[in-house]
Amino acid sequence: PESTVEWIHRNEIISQSNKKVSSIRQNGSSAVLTLRTLQSNSDYGSYRCHARNHLGNDSAMIDVRSKGSAISRRFDIDRD
């Protein structure tokens, strides 16, 4: 089933208009957050992907620690 996905960093929902976001994509049971080059310490830390649909909800987290080029992480959000 179709899911609603939110990306969260430092207790704030991240939107496509955020300056550190290159893209936010969702395709079926996959969600992808691609970040631009990170420039300040506040850009690093935990990023959480939260998905929900009529069957329930689930979350996955990634810790961004390295400096440098764009970082992309894929989470499969399909739950049975």
Side-chain angles (χ1 to χ4, degrees), residues 11-75:
N11 296 319
E12 292 184 21
I13 296 172
I14 300 171
S15 68
Q16 184 68 49
S17 63
N18 188 299
K19 66 179 180 164
K20 66 182 147 201
V21 173
S22 177
S23 69
I24 297 175
R25 297 186 317 272
Q26 183 178 349
N27 183 12
S29 62
S30 295
V32 179
L33 170 66
T34 304
L35 301 173
R36 299 182 192 281
T37 301
L38 305 178
Q39 297 184 1
S40 73
N41 287 336
S42 65
D43 293 339
Y44 298 97
S46 296
Y47 286 77
R48 183 166 51 103
C49 176
H50 182 79
R52 65 180 171 277
N53 63 24
H54 69 278
L55 298 175
N57 61 72
D58 197 14
S59 292
M61 191 163 315
I62 182 173
D63 287 322
V64 177
R65 296 181 186 173
S66 61
K67 296 181 181 180
S69 60
I71 299 166
S72 180
R73 177 70 187 239
R74 175 184 163 172
F75 292 100

